[in-house]
Amino acid sequence: MESPSAPVEDAVARARDLALAQEFRPAVALLRAHLRTHPDDSLAWRRLAGALIGLDDRAAAIDAAGRAIDIDPGDVVAWRHRALARHLLGRHRASYADARRAVELAPDDPEALNLLAVNVLTVDRDVARFRELYRRALAVDRNSAPARHSARVDRRIRRRGAAILLLLAVYPPWCVLFLRWLVVDDGSPDAGWTMWPTVAGVAVMIVAAVVGRTAGAVPLALTWRGIVGAAGVAGVGAAGAVWGGTRTATMAAAFGLTAVAVSLLFALTFRVRHGRAGRLPEEDATGGPARETARVA
């Protein structure tokens, strides 16, 4: 004799198979029909949330995941689904809380770890913590697609940071040396000594701009140690170029300090703009389109 629970299990299992085949609309219809007669089935609510994410119906997915959590507060996947749906809907702090709860329930869940990493990057702009979390996810599962995507985002963050530090080291001395060249452009050796570094500087800036542009829309990670180092290089470069043309220590020092000040001012501007930056594009934040990121479970 067939068990009374068999039709229930079959309906939820069929919905899972449909969702895995990316047939989200019939999966949602099947699960909604099932839940009309079984409103306390937390697994069905959780799978409904995943299918709704696949349909990009994020608000309904949040509600469905919430119903699953109300019935079973220990359902890690339901917490993950709600975190993802809230993140995609722009409710980042609520998503952060859900992802953190998922990691508390399952510290070795790679998808929960990566979702928390994404929220740390989006809300706190904490690149170091972001790296720690997605690397923990990769340590658990080297094939985790979202975590591997986060690793690619991290490489772009590093590339963009290196390009900005290069600009901070080259652009300020280029500015002060170019201004000096305009002042002393009389054909004297002094003018030549202040002009040739600008040629190299322009070439370096073009390369840095291209590298930074290819990094895409990722957060800017600048440490004060790196900023001070870049400003020091800028100051030494400007002072050395002026000393080479004038052999005047006071003038070389003045131009060097000016280059340092300009570099630090630019760095402060970059950090302020970084602090006000908006969230990452959806593909960068979640590891790909939502329907591919939310694993059906």
Side-chain angles (χ1 to χ4, degrees):
M1 181 178 179
E2 186 179 32
S3 169
S5 64
V8 173
E9 294 172 355
D10 287 348
V12 178
R14 285 199 308 275
R16 180 177 185 273
D17 292 339
L18 287 167
L20 285 172
Q22 296 193 3
E23 297 289 340
F24 299 112
R25 201 168 299 280
V28 167
L30 184 60
L31 287 166
R32 287 196 186 281
H34 167 75
L35 285 165
R36 280 196 288 270
T37 55
H38 301 83
D40 294 330
D41 189 339
S42 63
L43 178 59
W45 282 114
R46 176 227 288 176
R47 289 185 175 166
L48 176 61
L52 288 167
I53 291 173
L55 285 177
D56 292 328
D57 191 348
R58 297 155 187 177
I62 292 170
D63 179 67
R67 295 289 295 271
I69 291 168
D70 290 341
I71 298 167
D72 181 7
D75 189 336
V76 177
V77 179
W79 285 101
R80 275 204 281 108
H81 283 341
R82 193 168 74 174
L84 177 58
R86 281 176 163 171
H87 186 89
L88 295 172
L89 207 56
R91 302 176 184 174
H92 304 304
R93 294 195 178 278
S95 174
Y96 196 156
D98 284 347
R100 185 166 51 220
R101 181 56 180 157
V103 170
E104 289 172 356
L105 291 169
D108 294 327
D109 185 320
E111 293 185 37
L113 286 166
N114 191 71
L115 262 175
L116 183 57
V118 166
N119 278 289
V120 164
L121 188 63
T122 304
V123 176
D124 294 339
R125 319 297 283 187
D126 187 341
V127 177
R129 177 68 171 152
F130 163 72
R131 287 172 181 153
E132 175 195 345
L133 288 165
Y134 87 72
R135 285 171 179 170
R136 280 175 57 190
L138 286 174
V140 175
D141 181 6
R142 298 295 302 177
N143 296 318
S144 170
R148 288 169 70 90
H149 180 84
S150 291
R152 291 193 294 273
V153 171
D154 187 21
R155 287 193 290 271
R156 289 162 54 196
I157 290 172
R158 291 179 185 276
R159 191 162 71 243
R160 186 185 180 202
I164 295 299
L165 287 176
L166 189 58
L167 286 173
L168 292 176
V170 173
Y171 188 68
W174 179 86
C175 289
V176 298
L177 292 173
F178 182 70
L179 290 175
R180 173 157 177 76
W181 174 75
L182 291 177
V183 172
V184 302
D185 186 15
D186 54 4
S188 67
D190 188 5
W193 270 101
T194 56
M195 186 57 193
W196 72 261
T198 68
V199 176
V202 169
V204 172
M205 285 190 290
I206 291 173
V207 172
V210 170
V211 171
R213 189 175 185 84
T214 58
V218 293
L220 179 60
L222 290 181
T223 64
W224 280 113
R225 181 177 179 179
I227 289 170
V228 170
V233 171
V236 170
V242 174
W243 168 259
T246 66
R247 293 294 192 267
T248 304
T250 54
M251 186 173 293
F255 274 86
L257 292 174
T258 301
V260 169
V262 173
S263 181
L264 292 176
L265 180 61
F266 284 175
L268 181 61
T269 302
F270 280 127
R271 286 181 67 92
V272 169
R273 288 183 60 190
H274 162 61
R276 294 176 179 174
R279 70 187 184 96
L280 295 171
E282 177 182 316
E283 289 75 11
D284 288 328
T286 62
R291 65 186 60 205
E292 297 177 9
T293 303
R295 180 173 61 84
V296 179

